[in-house]
Amino acid sequence: MPGEPSIPSVPSPRTPHPSGTCVLLKHGEVFLKGRNRHLFTERLHDNLRRALRGVGGSTWIKDGQNVTVLGGEVSQDVLVERARRVIGFNSVEPAVRVPSTVADITKTAVDALAAVRAERPGISFAVRVKRRDKSFEMTSSQFERFLGARVREALGPVPVNLSSPDVRVSVEVDHKESYVSWTRHPGPGGLPVGSSGRALVLLSGGYDSPVAAYRAMRRGLRCDFVHFTGAPFTNAASVYKAYALARELNRYQPGGRLHVIALGHAQKQLAIAGAGRLQVVAQRRLMVRAASALAGRTRAEALVTGDSLGQVASQTLANMAAVDEAATLPVLRPLVGWEKQEIIDEARSIGTAEISVLPDEDCCKLLAPPRVALRAGLTHLHSVEKRLDLDDLVNGLLRDVQIMYPGETGGEGEAEADGPDGGPTPSRPVPAACATAPSGTVSS
């Protein structure tokens, strides 16, 4: 994609003999793309290479028709674990590479099913063949029947279930090598991170915003994060949580930066200006103003929030419209139609739920009125804001912004910073103290 250079390939050994273990990565929405599909595939492979950094051995990547083959001098389990976090792959399948001969494929399929059956007696099976090499001596359906018969000859009357088998032996026949797999792990799917541009996520410590960030990544957005604290009137607990959440989310994308902005004094000024029941909405308007200005520094083209329509008083339709009016960029709300339990379930699946339940001091509760206005009027909001110098307020917030780089030193999730001219500069590793637990250490 334009704007970012391709990542150099991971050092790889010479093309190996077509035998041994590998991992098949089935493409997600990339296969729907037309003439520019190669751009999405290049982005997908760049992200895969980043995920393989620090894996502990050389690896190789082979591009096929709507499939990527991954292998190397690394444990197959490690390759599977890394690949399962790369957005853009629908499934991750440990496989065995064999020469494209009937004898080699048959032996591998029989041996694989025999090993599974030894651990799980009485299982049913089915064989599925995809023949990419049309010169192969049998059609896909013929080869399926042939392999099924050979399995039953070798192992006895193993039950066949074509609609819902306990084990599905998949065979992909290519020109020089073929792949046999019998285990399938779901991948994240979606579009490769970075293929749709960049966004800035307003990251709180709750369930919602991390899930919204993940959903934005699945639509191809590369995300940086901004976290607002109530400092100096609240402690640093929310910063620790935001750091931990950003680090977990960075396992799904090239490392995004975390910007921390102390909002406490500005919140107090809004209260003194007479915000009253509009306090929470006025604070959110100030947040999106500051985030919009910060987005210019991060090259973000949109803001992302975890708003869910009607979930809390500040997220009514009228209040969300009032917040949008203060933004200078599109405000994306991936969770706008989600129920709370759906959000919590997703948070558990992506690994952020255990962090979100930790206690902290949420800046949104600071100076919050007993009752929040459900329909904040723009006239009243503008009246409150006129009592303040908003430009000076926003400039002050950005002047003191702190920047963190959540990630693992030398491994996946390492952040890549932008230089003063907007171009990339070498990565700055996270301090060792932050690599094990979030801390107040920052880079400015």
Side-chain angles (χ1 to χ4, degrees):
M1 291 295 132
E4 295 184 31
S6 295
I7 299 303
S9 300
V10 174
S12 59
R14 294 179 180 178
T15 304
H17 186 270
S19 61
T21 60
C22 65
V23 182
L24 296 182
L25 308 175
K26 303 298 180 65
H27 296 181
E29 289 185 56
V30 169
F31 84 93
L32 296 173
K33 302 303 176 182
R35 296 178 180 177
N36 61 349
R37 182 188 302 174
H38 70 283
L39 297 175
F40 288 85
T41 302
E42 288 172 6
R43 172 69 65 179
L44 185 58
H45 288 174
D46 283 349
N47 293 343
L48 177 59
R49 292 185 186 101
R50 283 189 177 100
L52 293 171
R53 285 176 175 171
V55 78
S58 60
T59 59
W60 51 264
I61 296 172
K62 179 181 177 182
D63 188 22
Q65 185 179 353
N66 299 324
V67 66
T68 295
V69 187
L70 173 63
E73 300 171 356
V74 180
S75 162
Q76 189 181 49
D77 290 340
V78 172
L79 294 178
V80 168
E81 190 275 331
R82 292 293 182 98
R84 289 189 69 183
R85 285 184 173 268
V86 179
I87 292 173
F89 293 121
N90 265 2
S91 68
V92 179
E93 303 179 17
V96 176
R97 304 167 63 244
V98 298
S100 291
T101 67
V102 171
D104 285 303
I105 296 171
T106 302
K107 182 181 184 305
T108 303
V110 171
D111 290 349
L113 201 54
V116 175
R117 193 165 178 247
E119 297 181 357
R120 301 163 57 193
I123 61 169
S124 61
F125 83 103
V127 178
R128 293 288 180 264
V129 174
K130 180 177 290 186
R131 189 183 60 144
R132 302 186 191 279
D133 177 12
K134 301 306 180 184
S135 66
F136 191 72
E137 56 194 273
M138 283 184 265
T139 66
S140 295
S141 58
Q142 288 172 342
F143 200 23
E144 288 175 353
R145 291 193 294 269
F146 175 86
L147 289 173
R150 299 296 81 77
V151 166
R152 290 172 66 87
E153 285 178 6
L155 305 180
V158 184
V160 176
N161 186 335
L162 299 180
S163 59
S164 183
D166 295 317
V167 177
R168 185 184 71 178
V169 179
S170 298
V171 178
E172 300 204 11
V173 182
D174 218 326
H175 290 79
K176 294 183 179 180
E177 59 190 27
S178 295
Y179 309 97
V180 182
S181 63
W182 54 95
T183 304
R184 182 181 184 274
H185 302 287
L191 295 172
V193 173
S195 61
S196 298
R198 301 180 72 124
L200 183 63
V201 179
L202 277 68
L203 186 68
S204 69
Y207 289 110
D208 302 348
S209 57
V211 174
Y214 174 73
R215 284 282 155 174
M217 292 174 194
R218 287 192 63 201
R219 300 316 307 154
L221 288 172
R222 180 173 173 179
C223 296
D224 287 307
F225 311 98
V226 57
H227 175 71
F228 293 91
T229 79
F233 307 115
T234 57
N235 62 31
S238 73
V239 180
Y240 301 158
K241 285 181 67 175
Y243 182 97
L245 288 168
R247 176 174 173 170
E248 188 64 29
L249 290 166
N250 278 345
R251 291 166 66 85
Y252 297 96
Q253 67 162 8
R257 292 159 296 184
L258 172 63
H259 302 78
V260 179
I261 296 179
L263 196 67
H265 285 306
Q267 291 176 272
K268 188 174 182 179
Q269 290 185 52
L270 285 170
I272 294 173
R277 291 183 61 189
L278 302 176
Q279 177 77 23
V280 173
V281 179
Q283 289 173 182
R284 290 182 67 82
R285 281 170 60 87
L286 183 57
M287 288 179 187
V288 300
R289 286 182 193 276
S292 296
L294 179 61
R297 301 182 183 181
T298 65
R299 296 183 294 169
E301 302 167 82
L303 306 180
V304 175
T305 76
D307 294 342
S308 173
L309 184 60
Q311 186 180 114
V312 293
S314 63
Q315 294 173 18
T316 63
L317 189 60
N319 286 350
M320 287 196 288
V323 170
D324 284 358
E325 195 261 350
T328 59
L329 293 176
V331 180
L332 308 182
R333 297 181 172 89
L335 309 184
V336 69
W338 288 40
E339 296 180 0
K340 191 65 177 185
Q341 191 58 51
E342 292 176 311
I343 297 172
I344 294 173
D345 291 344
E346 179 94 337
R348 288 174 179 152
S349 72
I350 65 175
T352 59
E354 292 183 357
I355 303 170
S356 294
V357 297
L358 297 174
D360 69 339
E361 292 188 354
D362 183 2
C363 77
C364 291
K365 297 178 181 178
L366 180 66
L367 303 175
R371 296 179 62 190
V372 177
L374 298 180
R375 297 184 61 85
L378 287 176
T379 301
H380 293 150
L381 285 166
H382 290 160
S383 177
V384 171
E385 292 170 348
K386 283 180 180 178
R387 298 166 195 158
L388 305 169
D389 187 336
L390 285 179
D391 290 340
D392 185 61
L393 201 58
V394 169
N395 288 336
L397 293 175
L398 297 187
R399 185 171 55 248
D400 298 326
V401 66
Q402 297 174 319
I403 306 174
M404 298 180 180
Y405 298 85
E408 300 176 8
T409 303
E412 61 178 328
E414 189 172 292
E416 294 183 358
D418 291 333
D421 60 352
T425 62
S427 301
R428 285 193 248 174
V430 178
C434 290
T436 54
S439 76
T441 304
V442 298
S443 300
S444 60

